[in-house]
Amino acid sequence: ALALVGGAGAFAWQARIAAQRAEELAAVAAFQAEMLGQVDPTVAGRALVADLEQRFDAALQGDGIASDARLTQRTTFSAQLARLNATDAARELIDASLLRPAVAAIERQFADQPVVAASLRQVLATRYRTMGLYEPSAALQAQALDGRRGVLGPDHPDTLRSQLEAAELALARAAPKDAEDLARDALARLRRRLGADDPMTLEAMNLLGVVLVTSGRVAEAEPLIGDALTGRRRVLAADDPDLVESISNFGYVVRMQNRFDEAEPLYREVLVLRRRLLGPTHRDTIGSLSNLAALLKASGRAAEAVPY
């Protein structure tokens, strides 16, 4: 009896240690995901240029160069820097110094934790995709999706998250058939698993609609994008970026079918939201200005379009 109690106690202790270890690894994965998710080559490129200009000016001051001559040299230096693509330089630096080492670290540190490894690979795959580096993204994306399917099963929300990310990548790589198959299957599984109003189900619905639009099937896409918008208005905050995306997408769908009166209030709503949330100079805000201008021009109101 004592041996049995001791054995059970040891087993329970080992289970607690394993559970604690799993929680710690999950916390590490979440932290690393958050850090990697904040990497933006455009922002980093601007910061790199600003830092180089500041260091150059400090070096000129350190050499005792007069202010007029320093201004001339600094202006010339800035003009030469402007000939470079700072975003590309930052992208390559981020890849070499952060992302590639992170990929290698997953192999070393999480070989015996497939769920954590898949989570981190997904983060890296998404980061590579948003940076426009599709080849390294594809390898990691396949590993993340296969890893989650193998351990968690095909209907687990994390697996379906990876499947949606794989669809996004296929769309970015101009493979609409692959994107459609992945998004359509994910949508069906999400409806069964999480329900029609779950934010991820609505995301899949919207994504499938976007894939169909990209393939030129605008009328087929309309009910998907429209239902996604209706659902997101119901379950998301009024300033949620996903809702703003849905409003913009549905506006585009009806505008492409020459239903200008329906599209205009949607375009105006998106412009108001993006100005408030992103500021007047963000590229999405500028895109909304352009969309509204094009809509007004196409509807025969060119004079109204000019200010936009």
Side-chain angles (χ1 to χ4, degrees), residues 172-242:
R173 299 180 81 191
K177 180 61 169 64
D178 292 341
E180 180 181 346
D181 290 345
L182 287 161
R184 196 177 289 281
D185 180 71
L187 176 57
R189 293 176 185 277
L190 284 163
R191 277 175 168 153
R192 289 195 302 268
R193 177 68 188 267
L194 301 179
D197 271 354
D198 185 85
M200 193 153 65
T201 305
L202 297 170
E203 178 186 350
M205 197 180 300
N206 178 74
L207 175 57
L208 179 57
V210 170
V211 171
L212 295 176
V213 168
T214 304
S215 303
R217 295 147 66 187
V218 177
E220 189 179 345
E222 182 179 345
L224 286 162
I225 292 178
D227 287 349
L229 172 57
T230 300
R232 282 174 161 176
R233 285 197 190 277
R234 189 164 52 244
V235 304
L236 299 181
D239 59 355
D240 189 289
D242 288 342

Side-chain angles (χ1 to χ4, degrees), residues 237-260:
D239 59 355
D240 189 289
D242 288 342
L243 174 55
V244 178
E245 177 196 25
S246 269
I247 300 168
S248 179
N249 288 346
F250 192 67
Y252 178 79
V253 164
V254 295
R255 184 255 181 273
M256 288 298 291
Q257 298 177 84
N258 297 323
R259 287 150 52 192
F260 302 132

Side-chain angles (χ1 to χ4, degrees), residues 98-176:
L98 180 61
L99 300 184
R100 271 181 272 164
V103 172
I106 293 171
E107 304 289 344
R108 292 194 310 269
Q109 298 178 27
F110 300 102
D112 61 341
Q113 293 288 331
V115 174
V116 175
S119 240
L120 291 172
R121 287 189 179 107
Q122 183 57 68
V123 171
L124 289 167
T126 301
R127 181 57 19 199
Y128 270 122
R129 173 175 59 79
T130 58
M131 288 171 59
L133 299 173
Y134 298 145
E135 290 306 315
S137 177
L140 288 161
Q141 186 60 69
Q143 288 179 299
L145 180 54
D146 290 346
R148 283 176 162 173
R149 274 180 177 156
V151 178
L152 302 174
D155 291 330
H156 191 280
D158 289 348
T159 303
L160 295 171
R161 163 55 53 205
S162 285
Q163 190 164 325
L164 290 180
E165 295 291 336
E168 291 270 15
L169 178 60
L171 185 61
R173 299 180 81 191

Side-chain angles (χ1 to χ4, degrees), residues 268 275 289-290 292-298 300-308:
R268 289 188 182 279
R275 275 175 166 159
L289 287 167
S290 177
L292 182 55
L295 171 68
L296 293 170
K297 182 175 182 293
R301 296 149 65 190
E304 290 182 55
V306 171
Y308 296 104

Side-chain angles (χ1 to χ4, degrees), residues 11-22:
F11 178 78
W13 177 78
Q14 290 171 349
R16 284 196 299 272
I17 293 297
Q20 181 179 353
R21 172 67 173 158

